[in-house]
Amino acid sequence: MLNVPWNVVVWDDPVNLMSYVVYVFRSYFGYSDGKARKLMLEVHHNGRSIVASGTLEEAETHVSALHGYGLWATYERADHN
């Protein structure tokens, strides 16, 4: 179970501007503008987007950092269905 990858999920919220979400994805993850916009649009249109995957420790770190930016983020096992 420790080897199962974990997904970092960002959820849509009524507070943050789309441009700010793109800024967070670019500045925190280092994503290109195109990738950051694609992920932001998934959040906006689908209500959520998987923005990163990794170990449980990495997922916890990312979620904590995203909370610091004011985003609603959680993590889940990658095999979660």
Side-chain angles (χ1 to χ4, degrees):
M1 182 161 164
L2 290 177
N3 294 333
V4 173
W6 292 77
N7 292 332
V8 176
V9 180
V10 172
W11 299 86
D12 196 17
D13 67 60
V15 178
N16 292 298
L17 296 174
M18 291 187 284
S19 59
Y20 177 71
V21 175
V22 170
Y23 162 79
V24 172
F25 292 165
R26 291 190 69 195
S27 62
Y28 177 71
F29 290 109
Y31 291 158
S32 67
D33 187 63
K35 181 169 183 171
R37 289 181 185 281
K38 177 182 176 289
L39 293 172
M40 175 277 295
L41 286 171
E42 284 181 9
V43 172
H44 182 68
H45 293 295
N46 301 334
R48 60 176 262 159
S49 178
I50 296 171
V51 299
S53 294
T55 66
L56 176 58
E57 185 176 306
E58 290 168 334
E60 289 173 336
T61 299
H62 292 324
V63 166
S64 179
L66 292 168
H67 288 171
Y69 282 99
L71 299 187
W72 179 19
T74 59
Y75 56 89
E76 64 189 19
R77 285 174 43 144
D79 63 0
H80 174 78
N81 288 325

